[in-house]
Amino acid sequence: MSKLSDVHGPDEVREAFRVYLRDRGIKYTTPRQKVLDAVLDLHHHFDAEQVLYALKERDLKVGKATVYRTLPLLVDCGVLKEVRFDVKQTHYEHAFGEGPHDHMVCRRCGRIVEFASDEVVELRSRIGRRHNFHVISHRFQLTGLCWDCAIVCPVATMPAPERRE
Amino acid sequence: MSKLSDVHGPDEVREAFRVYLRDRGIKYTTPRQKVLDAVLDLHHHFDAEQVLYALKERDLKVGKATVYRTLPLLVDCGVLKEVRFDVKQTHYEHAFGEGPHDHMVCRRCGRIVEFASDEVVELRSRIGRRHNFHVISHRFQLTGLCWDCAIVCPVATMPAPERRE
DNA sequence: ATGCTTGCAAAACGTTTGCACAGGG
DNA sequence: CCCTGTGCAAACGTTTTGCAAGCAT
């Protein structure tokens, strides 16, 4: 049970984080545990501020700086994955449990549809090979209209008044 | 000669911008012309600050705010395209002249390799169809090691000390 | 003449950092 | 114990905005 991609339960994730920190000589402190716990309770996509808010809700006081310093650790150890939408803040999602996927964002309602990316991975290595580039990761984001919005607004190209997330 | 994707010369681009503005009741002012001219002289990828610097170099004084207000207009009218790398600033590139393409960024030296995206466009509509999503645009960015860096550093996964652009 | 546009400076925004103090190994 | 980690607040860099003055139509 060392590969995080095979891990599902919160306890296993916590253990993985502890081991990751110990192996690198980084301390498994209370604030870092709190951040991890808060992150485990969040789903879908969230940013640093939402983590901070989740902590405040649980009466777990952790400084903003600590949250910003811990999230990269969680990314680096494979608990979280950075997800960059077209906004200035960095978003995160759980990197364990479900397989790799990419996102489609509805221009109108902001809805996010996830899709598995087997074909994308295949395509990316084909392209890499063609250009002598060793591909390590990718970001593939589609923008458009979800089913509901496409009905309401068949030829919409204008951005919606407000977008979520 | 109305489709900007078929337009190549600076004069045609300027004309397209003028028409775009007129059609929307926005004025074709001197500062906006200056920004366009500066942008036409820049190549590859650039951000707002570089536009500002290019203007300063040519003794064309345009306020920072005006640059920030003009760039979205140029994007909207199809002269520029937003290119988001994993940095906080927004980068732009010319949206006319050459066909659509995506980018591979070398994790180590920051080099950017462009590749045509026919297969990507095909894949994106296939995925969209599968999920009842009307895809309008995409962003496909590959990260990895370019040929030179892959030789120097065959198993590099650590980010380089500094990245360009 | 009217009202969009400009430029400046200040605000806003998410994120990072300096520093004195606390706490883990 | 020592040295790392914490929390606060202040700094940061990019982008946005308020506002008085300027200029195009």
Side-chain angles (χ1 to χ4, degrees):
Chain A
M1 192 59 71
S2 60
K3 270 189 67 190
L4 253 176
S5 49
D6 298 331
V7 168
H8 290 78
D11 291 333
E12 293 164 321
V13 174
R14 273 186 274 265
E15 177 63 12
F17 187 41
R18 203 184 56 73
V19 169
Y20 163 85
L21 292 178
R22 175 170 48 62
D23 288 354
R24 317 192 82 195
I26 303 174
K27 292 174 185 169
Y28 187 51
T29 60
T30 314
R32 293 210 249 250
Q33 292 175 46
K34 288 179 182 172
V35 172
L36 175 56
D37 281 358
V39 152
L40 289 177
D41 268 10
L42 289 169
H43 297 287
H44 310 301
H45 310 101
F46 53 88
D47 58 20
E49 205 190 341
Q50 285 169 275
V51 175
L52 216 36
Y53 180 76
L55 286 164
K56 215 167 285 174
E57 252 188 343
R58 295 157 139 244
D59 281 313
L60 303 174
K61 298 161 236 300
V62 178
K64 175 188 295 192
T66 301
V67 170
Y68 274 102
R69 283 187 278 231
T70 303
L71 288 175
L73 292 176
L74 290 169
V75 170
D76 197 52
C77 87
V79 169
L80 294 183
K81 195 159 146 318
E82 280 190 3
V83 183
R84 307 237 184 189
F85 299 111
D86 282 354
V87 292
K88 52 192 73 177
Q89 326 97 276
T90 302
H91 283 82
Y92 300 88
E93 66 182 10
H94 292 175
F96 55 94
E98 49 185 309
H101 58 266
D102 292 288
H103 304 92
M104 292 186 278
V105 182
C106 178
R107 245 181 168 63
R108 193 164 163 280
C109 70
R111 182 168 156 201
I112 293 171
V113 179
E114 300 185 346
F115 60 91
S117 54
D118 309 348
E119 296 157 293
V120 180
V121 172
E122 192 199 317
L123 175 58
R124 87 181 193 193
S125 23
R126 193 157 65 240
I127 290 171
R129 220 174 297 126
R130 191 179 303 152
H131 296 267
N132 287 318
F133 199 92
H134 174 62
V135 181
I136 295 174
S137 67
H138 75 265
R139 197 168 72 243
F140 189 34
Q141 188 186 312
L142 306 185
T143 307
L145 295 173
C146 71
W147 182 249
D148 296 342
C149 290
I151 289 177
V152 174
C153 186
V155 238
T157 45
M158 295 303 298
E162 271 191 321
R163 281 177 229 180
R164 289 190 282 100
E165 193 147 4
Chain B
M1 192 58 70
S2 60
K3 270 188 65 189
L4 252 176
S5 50
D6 298 333
V7 168
H8 291 77
D11 291 333
E12 292 163 323
V13 174
R14 274 186 274 266
E15 178 63 12
F17 187 42
R18 204 185 55 72
V19 169
Y20 163 85
L21 293 177
R22 174 170 49 62
D23 288 353
R24 317 191 83 195
I26 303 174
K27 292 173 186 167
Y28 188 51
T29 59
T30 314
R32 293 209 250 250
Q33 292 174 46
K34 288 179 182 171
V35 172
L36 174 57
D37 281 358
V39 152
L40 289 177
D41 268 10
L42 289 169
H43 298 286
H44 311 299
H45 310 101
F46 52 87
D47 58 19
E49 205 189 341
Q50 284 169 275
V51 175
L52 215 35
Y53 180 76
L55 285 165
K56 215 167 286 174
E57 252 189 342
R58 296 158 138 243
D59 282 312
L60 304 174
K61 297 160 233 302
V62 178
K64 175 187 296 193
T66 301
V67 170
Y68 275 102
R69 285 187 278 233
T70 304
L71 289 175
L73 293 175
L74 290 170
V75 170
D76 198 51
C77 88
V79 169
L80 294 182
K81 195 156 145 314
E82 278 191 5
V83 183
R84 305 236 183 190
F85 300 111
D86 283 353
V87 290
K88 50 194 71 177
Q89 327 98 276
T90 302
H91 283 83
Y92 301 88
E93 66 180 12
H94 292 175
F96 55 93
E98 47 185 309
H101 59 267
D102 292 287
H103 303 93
M104 294 187 277
V105 182
C106 179
R107 245 179 166 66
R108 194 165 163 278
C109 71
R111 182 171 157 199
I112 293 170
V113 179
E114 301 185 345
F115 60 91
S117 55
D118 309 349
E119 296 157 293
V120 181
V121 173
E122 193 198 316
L123 175 58
R124 86 181 195 195
S125 21
R126 194 157 64 238
I127 289 170
R129 221 174 296 126
R130 192 179 303 151
H131 292 84
N132 287 318
F133 197 94
H134 174 62
V135 181
I136 295 174
S137 67
H138 76 266
R139 197 169 71 243
F140 189 34
Q141 188 185 312
L142 306 185
T143 308
L145 295 174
C146 71
W147 182 252
D148 296 341
C149 290
I151 290 176
V152 175
C153 184
V155 238
T157 45
M158 296 303 297
E162 272 191 323
R163 281 177 227 180
R164 287 191 284 102
E165 190 146 8

